[in-house]
Amino acid sequence: MANSISFHQPTHRFIPCPQVKDFRSFSSPRFSYCSSASSKGRLRPIKAATEIPAFPLLQPPKVDESPSELEPADPDFYKIGYVRSMRAYGIEFKEGPDGFGVYASKDVEPLRRARVIMEIPLELMLTISKKQPWMFFPDIIPVGHPIFDIINSTNPETDWDLRLACLLLYAFDREDNFWQLYGDFLPSFDECTSLLLASEEEILELQDQNLASIIRDQQRRALEFWERNWHSGVPLKIKRLAQDPKRFIWAVSIAQSRCINMQTRIGALVQDANMLIPYADMLNHSFRPNCFFHWRFKDRMLEVMINAGQQIKKGQEMTVNYMNGQQNNMFLQRYGFSSPVNPWDMIEFSGNARIHLDSFLSVFNIAGLPENYYYNGRLSNKEDTFVDGAVIAAARSLPSWSDGDIPPSPSRERKAVKELQEECRQMLAAFPTTTEKDQKMLDSMPQATRTLEASIKYRLHRKLFIEKVIKALDIYQERILF
């Protein structure tokens, strides 16, 4: 993580915490670690798919009654005092149902060209090259500082999040660094939904053994890295960066959930880089985003732009697509949230039953190729609110057949639908709890930890998706077979 589309679920959390820099007050999490190292499940950087009071760092814009103009004469500046300031055009930061987000402060009429809503200079970002030789920007690590040796000990292929966590902790420790201020607006240990911070009991609530194993491996990996580099004999300038494992694991969770992987250019050298970008990281996720990222090499600026031709109403949330083509387990592993309407989620069927693909797509006005299905509501007389990302995911998941212009046989389709529905019911029966019990559990625990809530929602969303597939197959029978 917005839009008014039916299957958007804003889940990316961003909650201000003025005490975030005092990590000594955090309660200790309970971790369970495997006995052997494993490379499975290691996260790789993902390229960007590219009356509530206003956000405290925002200088409120002057009142402008002119209609549908996004760019004011003078941009709204964030007066931080570091080289170049971030610029914002026609947006505001405020708290929504799931934490802070970016919202339009005025109506935006559609144009044939994309519009800029944010400009963030490179100087405000924490950036490190993806591969050796390591290049940092800003160049905040002095020659000979021991944190460089720790970063240099990482695996260039897999440990990008560990490097970025080290860089973030060093920025917090450096006097007058921008991130000392911006760190007050990052979620604290208790407010993060990353399962790196989850206890063993909370991991078991996933009801997904494979994902639980991956999370344990990630926890063990981060802890072992801290134990190896923050032992009792390290210099004080290193020890004070992460005096306990909780602080380091928190930094890794921030790196994983807020990193953007993009190409940067310093002089004539173009490199892939992992970047923590302030303000842009407040954009929440949507499977139908209205914004995208654009890197401007000339002025070393990251621009956040509205999609060309997009109409946006005042108060509507600005969103980006964090990952394209990824299932819920990856969203939870990387960002700490899931969605019951992820159009890329999958169900693995083991039987031989198959339905006619073209018939199923036509019933729900789904068009496009499998890698880019979309719902075309304009084909129907009345918009079908049943169709959402889960139905699109069903079109990808359901075993299907297609043989040119040969029409489907009603009796054959009816038999296949019944078999697929029965397999879905068997999947639901294999879970220890039902959707009703999961929802009741969430409603009865308003003070539950963020990680426990994320775990229960993940299994709930999985079951809701399977139930949606069963209902979609019912509608398929009603509209096609009779």
Side-chain angles (χ1 to χ4, degrees):
M1 92 230 250
N3 287 331
S4 59
I5 58 174
S6 59
F7 59 86
H8 170 62
Q9 296 289 329
T11 47
H12 182 52
R13 304 184 184 276
F14 192 96
I15 305 175
C17 178
Q19 293 82 24
V20 72
K21 288 184 282 188
D22 184 7
F23 297 90
R24 293 171 293 182
S25 63
F26 293 155
S27 59
S28 176
R30 292 163 289 176
F31 297 107
S32 173
Y33 303 98
C34 301
S35 59
S36 60
S38 173
S39 61
K40 71 174 182 176
R42 289 191 174 178
L43 297 178
R44 297 184 179 274
I46 305 293
K47 292 191 176 182
T50 176
E51 230 15 280
I52 299 177
F55 189 68
L57 292 184
L58 173 63
Q59 287 289 103
K62 296 179 180 180
V63 177
D64 182 6
E65 301 298 334
S66 59
S68 306
E69 288 296 329
L70 182 64
E71 294 88 359
D74 296 310
D76 309 324
F77 283 93
Y78 289 73
K79 305 289 187 180
I80 304 298
Y82 293 89
V83 195
R84 293 185 292 171
S85 298
M86 178 268 190
R87 302 177 181 182
Y89 305 91
I91 61 171
E92 58 183 349
F93 297 91
K94 62 181 182 180
E95 193 167 6
D98 296 284
F100 272 96
V102 184
Y103 294 82
S105 61
K106 58 180 66 179
D107 290 346
V108 181
E109 294 302 322
L111 293 178
R112 288 183 293 177
R113 61 180 179 86
R115 301 194 191 194
V116 176
I117 61 170
M118 274 194 267
E119 294 177 312
I120 303 123
L122 185 63
E123 290 91 332
L124 298 185
M125 308 174 194
L126 288 180
T127 305
I128 183 171
S129 57
K130 188 176 178 180
K131 297 182 179 180
Q132 293 176 321
W134 307 126
M135 294 189 67
F136 307 93
F137 198 90
D139 187 13
I140 63 174
I141 299 183
V143 176
H145 194 284
I147 194 65
F148 178 80
D149 296 329
I150 295 178
I151 291 176
N152 201 40
S153 69
T154 59
N155 186 333
E157 298 298 325
T158 59
D159 295 340
W160 62 273
D161 52 341
L162 303 181
R163 290 190 292 275
L164 205 54
C166 291
L167 194 62
L168 177 63
L169 291 172
Y170 179 78
F172 286 150
D173 186 65
R174 189 183 183 195
E175 186 176 357
D176 295 330
N177 184 271
F178 165 81
W179 283 84
Q180 285 189 337
L181 292 178
Y182 193 75
D184 288 341
F185 301 94
L186 296 176
S188 71
F189 184 96
D190 295 325
E191 294 162 336
C192 282
T193 59
S194 171
L195 293 195
L196 283 176
L197 311 173
S199 66
E200 174 62 17
E201 291 80 3
E202 292 169 340
I203 292 175
L204 291 175
E205 294 292 345
L206 291 169
Q207 298 180 359
D208 185 330
Q209 294 183 359
N210 292 333
L211 181 57
S213 177
I214 292 173
I215 297 299
R216 293 189 190 102
D217 288 343
Q218 288 291 312
Q219 289 179 337
R220 186 194 65 251
R221 165 177 168 263
L223 180 63
E224 290 177 349
F225 185 83
W226 179 86
E227 291 175 338
R228 186 167 61 250
N229 295 287
W230 271 268
H231 53 80
S232 59
V234 298
L236 179 60
K237 63 174 64 177
I238 291 296
K239 185 178 295 185
R240 70 190 183 202
L241 299 183
Q243 296 186 8
D244 57 68
K246 298 186 296 295
R247 185 177 185 184
F248 179 74
I249 295 174
W250 171 85
V252 175
S253 72
I254 293 295
Q256 288 185 2
S257 61
R258 309 182 91 84
C259 172
I260 298 174
N261 182 34
M262 302 190 73
Q263 283 191 334
T264 62
R265 183 169 67 192
I266 302 178
L269 181 63
V270 177
Q271 284 189 319
D272 287 326
N274 301 124
M275 313 167 78
L276 289 178
I277 303 175
Y279 308 108
D281 62 6
M282 295 189 210
L283 288 159
N284 288 327
H285 168 78
S286 171
F287 295 112
R288 291 281 299 275
N290 51 22
C291 295
F292 65 95
F293 296 129
H294 173 260
W295 181 256
R296 178 154 37 104
F297 283 100
K298 180 180 179 181
D299 297 322
R300 297 181 303 175
M301 283 271 194
L302 179 77
E303 296 176 324
V304 181
M305 308 184 75
I306 298 175
N307 293 335
Q310 183 84 43
Q311 183 179 30
I312 298 176
K313 296 294 185 179
K314 179 180 179 180
Q316 185 176 347
E317 188 173 8
M318 322 302 288
T319 58
V320 293
N321 190 350
Y322 288 175
M323 295 188 294
N324 194 38
Q326 296 292 339
Q327 300 178 41
N328 271 344
N329 56 357
M330 188 59 188
F331 272 96
L332 186 71
Q333 183 184 348
R334 175 72 183 270
Y335 298 106
F337 67 82
S338 58
S339 170
V341 292
N342 181 351
W344 296 98
D345 220 10
M346 294 292 292
I347 298 177
E348 296 296 335
F349 289 91
S350 58
N352 296 322
R354 298 181 182 277
I355 61 171
H356 191 265
L357 177 60
D358 295 335
S359 296
F360 184 84
L361 297 179
S362 64
V363 162
F364 298 105
N365 293 330
I366 297 174
L369 300 174
E371 62 273 12
N372 192 29
Y373 279 142
Y374 64 93
Y375 170 60
N376 191 348
R378 292 173 297 180
L379 294 179
S380 57
N381 296 327
K382 183 178 180 181
E383 185 175 355
D384 191 343
T385 57
F386 177 81
V387 180
D388 56 18
V391 179
I392 296 176
R396 294 191 174 97
S397 297
L398 289 168
S400 60
W401 66 278
S402 182
D403 190 8
D405 296 328
I406 299 178
S409 167
S411 59
R412 176 179 176 180
E413 293 297 293
R414 186 183 300 109
K415 180 181 178 182
V417 164
K418 296 298 183 184
E419 292 180 12
L420 292 173
Q421 287 180 321
E422 178 59 29
E423 188 168 355
C424 286
R425 294 188 182 97
Q426 292 175 3
M427 295 178 190
L428 290 174
F431 285 101
T433 59
T434 63
T435 55
E436 292 77 12
K437 289 183 179 179
D438 291 341
Q439 189 61 58
K440 186 176 181 180
M441 185 179 297
L442 287 173
D443 296 339
S444 64
M445 297 189 305
Q447 303 302 320
T449 63
R450 301 286 187 178
T451 45
L452 176 59
E453 182 183 0
S455 295
I456 297 175
K457 282 185 175 180
Y458 170 78
R459 78 191 196 206
L460 172 62
H461 293 165
R462 182 65 175 171
K463 297 166 194 173
L464 290 175
F465 172 42
I466 297 175
E467 290 177 354
K468 189 87 171 186
V469 173
I470 295 175
K471 294 179 181 178
L473 289 170
D474 278 335
I475 294 176
Y476 175 54
Q477 291 187 89
E478 294 172 2
R479 297 184 180 180
I480 287 295
L481 302 183
F482 302 101

